[in-house]
Amino acid sequence: MFRIKEISLYKGIKKKTYKFTDNTYVYGNNSVGKTAFTKVIDFVLGSSEGLSHDGLDNIDEVEAYVINEKTELWIKRSTTGEFAYRRTESSGYCVVSHDTYKDTICEVISENVDVKSIQVYKKVFEENPSFRSFTFLNFIDEIGQGDLGSIFTRGKDIRHIVRIRKIMDFFFNYENSEKIYEKSVELEKLEVEYKKYSEKLMTYEQSVKDIERLFGELNLNYSGNISADYNAYQSYKEQFNRGSSKPKGDLAYLIRVSHSLAEEIKVYGFLRNQSEMTATRKDRTGKLLSMLGAIVADNPEYENEVATINAMIKEIDKDKIILSLADYDESIKKIVAEKERIDKEINKIQNQASEFDYESTIKKLALIENGFLIINSGVDMTKSQQLCEQITKLKKEIKELKNNYSQKDINEFNKRLTEMYLKSDIKNVKYLNDDKMQVNFFLKFDPFSQVLVAYHKEGDADVAFTPGSMARHNHLQMLVYLCMLEYLHKKFKNFIYMPILIMDSPDQAMEQESFEEIYPTLIKVANEIGIQTIFFSKVKINGIDGKNMINICDGLNPFHQKTEE
C-alpha cells in the first residue's frame, strides 16, 4: 500500500523531518501549524496551490519520502516552482515538469493500475484522471466540517461540485460506464466510417456535376443516364484527334451560312412587322369605305360611287386573306433553330482547329474519364442513412446509460455506513446511544448531491431528520470518508486514488472522553480497509502508542520568523 513515511522542510541546508506511521496522531495547541501541516502535505503531493499559508514562511523546499510494497520514491518541490524526484536515497534529484511529477507519484500509488478503468474514465468523461482528481476524498479540512449538506469539505466550490458529480457517476455507475465506454468506442468507429463515406459520397456527387459541366463545355448531350453518357463520351473521344478537324473551307462555308441565316431572320422579322402594319391599315380603310357606302346608299344619284366603294372593299378583303396566310413566326423559329445548329458546328470545328483548344479538350476528356472512374467505383446511396440511424441510436443508448445509476451499489454503501456508525464498540457517547434507540434508524448518503440524511421510523413511515449536534455531524462526516475509501478499495482496488485520510481537527466539537472512544473505532476501520491516517488535534489523548504521535506544540516550522509583539 502507498504510504507517506517522511515529510521534510528545508531552509537552505537546514532540514526538519517528520516521520509517519500507518496511523499518525499529530497534536499541538491552536496556531502552532496543524492546518499548515495539511497544506505542506498537499503541496508536496502536487497541489496547484502555493505554500502561502500563515506560518510557512522561510521554507525553500518540501520533501516527501513515499513507498509501496516494492518501491521507494523521494519527491521534492520548491517554493519557487521546481519539481524533482529520485528513486534511491543516494542518487541525485531529477528536475521534471509538474505533470511528470504527478505521474511519477501515480506509479507508487498503484504499480498495477487498472488500465481498463482508466480507459473507461477517459472515454466517458473526456479527461485524463490523476490521483489529484480524487484528493477531495483524502482531506477533511477544518473549513466545511460537520456540513451534512456538503459532506466533502473540498466540494463546496462550483467547479468542484461539477467535477465530484462526474467522479461519483463513475464510481457508482461503473457497470454502465463500461457499457458507455464500449458503445463510445463503437460510436467512434461509426463516426469515422461515416466521415470517410461522406467524403466519398461528396466526391461522387461532385464528379456527377463535373461531368455534366464538361459535357456542356464540349457541346455533348448530357442525359443523366450514366451508361448512355459514358457511351457518348467514348464515341466523342474516339473521333477526337489532331487530324479530325474539318478543312478551313468547311468552317468558312458554315460561317457564311450562319451569317446568311442571321440576315434571313432579320428579313422575316421585317416582313412580319410590315404585314402586321399593312393588315392594320387595310382594316381601317375597309371600315372607312363601309361608312361612306352607308352614307351614299340612300341617294340613287350616287349609284356609280357606291359601286366603286364596294369594289374597293372586296379588294381589301382579298389582301387581308393573303396576309393572314403568311406565318412569319413559324418561319423565324425554324431559321433560328437551324442557325443554332450551324453555330454549334462552328464552335466544335473552332475548338478542334486550334492547338490551345485541343489541349484544353484533352484535359476535359481526362477529367471526364476520372469522373466516370469515381462514379463506377460504386457508392451505396442508402449507406449514409443507415450510418446516421446507427449513430443516432448509439447516442441515445449512451445518454440513457449515463442517467441510469446503480441504486444497488448506493444502497449497499448506505447499509455499510449505518453499520459503521451503529455497530461500533463505542459505549459512552450520548448521541450515538440516542440514535441506537431510534426505530429503524439508518443513514442515506447521496453521492451525487453529497448530502447525508438520517432516517428513523415514525409509525409506518420513514422520516428524514438532521442529527442535531456538531459532534455527531463530524463523526458521521468522517465515517462517510472512510466508507468511500472502503468502497473504492473493494470496487476499484487498482485505481489511482491515494489510500490515505488526513483529518484536520474534526474532534474539536467533541468532548475529550467521547473522542478517546471514537478515535480507536475510526482507526480500526481504517486498518481494516488498509488506508493510512494522519489525524491532527489540539489535545493529546490516551491510548495512542508514542511511535504514532508527532508533537508540534513548539510549532511546525522551525524556520518561521515570529513577529515581535
Side-chain angles (χ1 to χ4, degrees):
M1 279 287 188
F2 173 83
R3 292 290 184 263
I4 299 173
K5 299 301 289 182
E6 294 180 3
I7 297 285
S8 299
L9 309 179
Y10 284 85
K11 171 62 176 176
I13 60 172
K14 295 179 181 179
K15 176 181 177 181
K16 173 65 176 178
T17 298
Y18 295 96
K19 297 182 181 296
F20 296 86
T21 61
D22 280 3
N23 304 113
T24 303
Y25 189 91
V26 184
Y27 67 94
N29 297 326
N30 290 335
S31 303
V32 296
K34 294 188 299 296
T35 298
F37 209 161
T38 68
K39 302 297 182 183
V40 167
I41 296 170
D42 204 12
F43 175 78
V44 76
L45 290 173
S47 169
S48 59
E49 297 180 4
L51 206 60
S52 58
H53 195 273
D54 288 347
L56 297 178
D57 54 300
N58 291 320
I59 295 174
D60 297 329
E61 296 173 316
V62 178
E63 180 186 58
Y65 168 46
V66 298
I67 65 167
N68 62 24
E69 294 91 333
K70 300 177 182 178
T71 308
E72 294 180 305
L73 179 71
W74 285 260
I75 53 176
K76 183 182 284 188
R77 181 178 178 184
S78 74
T79 54
T80 57
E82 191 174 80
F83 300 88
Y85 75 88
R86 65 183 181 184
R87 298 288 187 183
T88 66
E89 191 170 10
S90 59
S91 62
Y93 270 99
C94 176
V95 177
V96 294
S97 68
H98 190 194
D99 287 339
T100 302
Y101 184 81
K102 290 186 291 184
D103 290 342
T104 305
I105 298 171
C106 268
E107 294 172 5
V108 181
I109 290 173
S110 181
E111 285 191 316
N112 301 308
V113 176
D114 184 350
V115 176
K116 177 68 178 297
S117 297
I118 300 297
Q119 289 175 336
V120 171
Y121 188 97
K122 286 180 180 179
K123 197 69 179 178
V124 175
F125 301 114
E126 299 178 347
E127 64 180 31
N128 293 321
S130 158
F131 76 94
R132 294 297 317 176
S133 303
F134 312 106
T135 54
F136 68 92
L137 295 171
N138 303 121
F139 289 86
I140 302 179
D141 298 310
E142 191 171 7
I143 296 175
Q145 285 180 10
D147 186 354
L148 302 186
S150 182
I151 284 291
F152 303 118
T153 59
R154 297 193 172 187
K156 294 180 181 297
D157 190 291
I158 185 63
R159 61 191 175 94
H160 292 310
I161 291 173
V162 173
R163 183 170 58 83
I164 291 172
R165 170 61 186 263
K166 289 172 64 177
I167 290 169
M168 291 299 163
D169 279 349
F170 177 74
F171 288 145
F172 286 94
N173 196 26
Y174 183 74
E175 183 178 339
N176 285 338
S177 294
E178 279 191 298
K179 294 177 182 177
I180 290 169
Y181 166 73
E182 291 164 1
K183 289 183 180 295
S184 296
V185 171
E186 184 182 352
L187 176 63
E188 190 174 82
K189 289 179 180 177
L190 282 175
E191 287 177 332
V192 169
E193 184 181 358
Y194 178 73
K195 183 180 179 182
K196 289 180 179 178
Y197 177 78
S198 297
E199 291 171 354
K200 187 175 182 181
L201 184 61
M202 287 175 62
T203 303
Y204 175 90
E205 292 172 346
Q206 186 60 49
S207 296
V208 172
K209 291 178 182 179
D210 289 343
I211 288 173
E212 182 178 4
R213 173 179 57 80
L214 292 166
F215 263 49
E217 292 176 4
L218 294 175
N219 295 305
L220 293 173
N221 180 46
Y222 178 78
S223 67
N225 182 297
I226 299 299
S227 179
D229 290 336
Y230 185 73
N231 290 335
Y233 154 74
Q234 287 285 31
S235 177
Y236 181 88
K237 181 181 178 183
E238 289 170 3
Q239 295 175 9
F240 184 83
N241 55 58
R242 289 180 184 273
S244 68
S245 57
K246 294 185 179 181
K248 293 281 184 167
D250 284 356
L251 179 60
Y253 168 75
L254 289 172
I255 291 173
R256 287 198 299 272
V257 170
S258 178
H259 290 169
S260 176
L261 289 172
E263 291 300 320
E264 195 170 341
I265 291 170
K266 289 181 183 178
V267 170
Y268 270 85
F270 175 75
L271 291 175
R272 181 184 59 186
N273 293 337
Q274 290 298 109
S275 174
E276 290 174 352
M277 291 173 62
T278 300
T280 302
R281 187 169 59 251
K282 286 185 177 294
D283 187 55
R284 289 176 180 174
T285 302
K287 288 179 181 178
L288 178 60
L289 291 173
S290 293
M291 291 172 63
L292 289 173
I295 292 171
V296 300
D298 295 332
N299 301 290
E301 65 272 24
Y302 297 120
E303 184 178 349
N304 292 332
E305 286 79 359
V306 171
T308 302
I309 290 171
N310 286 334
M312 292 174 66
I313 290 172
K314 289 179 180 179
E315 189 66 30
I316 289 170
D317 288 340
K318 288 180 181 179
D319 290 344
K320 287 168 66 180
I321 290 171
I322 292 170
L323 288 170
S324 66
L325 292 174
D327 191 347
Y328 293 106
D329 287 336
E330 185 63 27
S331 298
I332 291 171
K333 185 177 179 181
K334 290 179 180 179
I335 296 169
V336 168
E338 179 64 13
K339 185 176 186 304
E340 288 178 351
R341 187 186 68 79
I342 294 295
D343 288 343
K344 285 183 179 180
E345 287 293 321
I346 292 170
N347 187 53
K348 186 185 296 185
I349 292 171
Q350 286 177 332
N351 286 341
Q352 294 175 339
S354 68
E355 184 70 18
F356 174 78
D357 287 334
Y358 177 84
E359 296 297 336
S360 175
T361 302
I362 288 296
K363 290 178 182 178
K364 290 174 183 176
L365 290 173
L367 290 172
I368 292 173
E369 179 74 31
N370 184 63
F372 278 119
L373 284 173
I374 292 170
I375 290 171
N376 292 328
S377 65
V379 175
D380 185 353
M381 302 301 288
T382 63
K383 194 170 184 179
S384 176
Q385 181 63 28
Q386 291 173 350
L387 287 171
C388 280
E389 289 174 357
Q390 287 178 279
I391 288 169
T392 301
K393 182 183 176 183
L394 273 174
K395 286 182 176 178
K396 182 180 178 182
E397 290 173 355
I398 289 169
K399 183 178 180 181
E400 288 173 353
L401 286 169
K402 285 182 176 179
N403 293 324
N404 184 19
Y405 307 118
S406 175
Q407 192 60 47
K408 178 176 177 291
D409 284 346
I410 296 174
N411 290 341
E412 288 179 355
F413 179 94
N414 287 323
K415 181 181 178 181
R416 174 58 178 150
L417 177 63
T418 304
E419 288 177 352
M420 281 185 183
Y421 181 57
L422 295 181
K423 295 185 179 181
S424 65
D425 296 330
I426 300 170
K427 304 294 184 184
N428 301 307
V429 176
K430 184 179 184 305
Y431 64 78
L432 179 54
N433 290 330
D434 290 343
D435 289 339
K436 286 179 178 180
M437 295 298 294
Q438 297 279 355
V439 179
N440 289 347
F441 175 92
F442 66 97
L443 298 167
K444 184 181 287 187
F445 173 62
D446 181 355
F448 310 113
S449 64
Q450 304 177 49
V451 174
L452 176 67
V453 178
Y455 286 80
H456 62 184
K457 208 78 168 178
E458 290 186 8
D460 294 330
D462 292 329
V463 179
F465 71 100
T466 302
S469 69
M470 183 59 71
R472 180 194 271 134
H473 289 190
N474 285 12
H475 187 179
L476 291 174
Q477 188 177 39
M478 285 186 285
L479 289 178
V480 172
Y481 276 81
L482 287 169
C483 200
M484 271 302 308
L485 290 168
E486 181 183 72
Y487 177 83
L488 295 184
H489 179 69
K490 290 179 179 179
K491 302 275 187 176
F492 300 88
K493 188 171 183 179
N494 293 317
F495 202 64
I496 50 172
Y497 65 92
M498 289 189 297
I500 184 170
L501 182 59
I502 298 168
M503 298 165 274
D504 184 9
S505 306
D507 61 313
Q508 289 188 93
M510 302 176 183
E511 295 178 359
Q512 185 169 339
E513 289 183 1
S514 296
F515 180 62
E516 286 185 350
E517 253 195 292
I518 291 169
Y519 180 76
T521 65
L522 300 176
I523 299 307
K524 180 181 178 183
V525 172
N527 289 336
E528 288 172 355
I529 300 169
I531 65 171
Q532 182 180 18
T533 62
I534 303 175
F535 198 101
F536 294 87
S537 176
K538 68 178 180 179
V539 296
K540 179 181 178 181
I541 61 174
N542 298 317
I544 301 177
D545 192 318
K547 68 179 183 180
N548 293 327
M549 303 187 79
I550 295 177
N551 181 354
I552 58 169
C553 290
D554 294 332
L556 167 70
N557 179 15
F559 316 120
H560 172 53
Q561 185 67 45
K562 296 181 180 179
T563 304
E564 294 183 5
E565 297 182 358

